Amino acid sequence: QNTINSYSSEISYEITKLPVAYDYSCDANDTRINVVLTNDGMKVVTDFTVSVTNPVCVGAVPSLPSVFNQSSTLKFTVYSNDVNGTITVAGNYTLGSISF
């Protein structure tokens, strides 16, 4: 993980890469990654976004809140067309890259 963290937020993560599965919606193989993000810091991350490299055609990242509160945890799954890639977590003065 590479992190730029200028806002005193401390975002930790856990990922679990699931086996590649066929996605009938996109007519392609997809990599599924379960993600758990925790804001262990004392500050709220606003303008919070999550993205993934080579996203699938529909629903690569679920709808997430635009504010990531302190002492909170988000659990979700992202979908990519690549076996290896990057999940980007961003917000006010926070940028993290998670390789999978």
Side-chain angles (χ1 to χ4, degrees):
Q1 176 189 22
N2 300 318
T3 305
I4 298 170
N5 196 349
S6 306
Y7 198 58
S8 299
S9 62
E10 297 173 12
I11 297 176
S12 60
Y13 73 93
E14 293 178 34
I15 61 171
T16 305
K17 194 171 175 180
L18 303 172
V20 173
Y22 190 76
D23 182 347
Y24 291 95
S25 306
C26 300
D27 195 27
N29 287 326
D30 293 347
T31 300
R32 301 167 293 155
I33 304 98
N34 286 338
V35 180
V36 178
L37 296 176
T38 303
N39 184 349
D40 298 314
M42 299 302 294
K43 302 277 186 170
V44 172
V45 178
T46 59
D47 299 322
F48 179 72
T49 61
V50 174
S51 60
V52 64
T53 55
N54 297 310
V56 296
C57 65
V58 187
V61 178
S63 179
L64 297 170
S66 62
V67 174
F68 190 17
N69 290 315
Q70 68 271 29
S71 302
S72 65
T73 299
L74 295 172
K75 297 177 183 181
F76 55 93
T77 302
V78 296
Y79 300 87
S80 175
N81 286 325
D82 277 348
V83 176
N84 298 308
T86 304
I87 299 166
T88 302
V89 177
N92 58 323
Y93 303 106
T94 299
L95 176 61
S97 297
I98 304 167
S99 298
F100 62 87

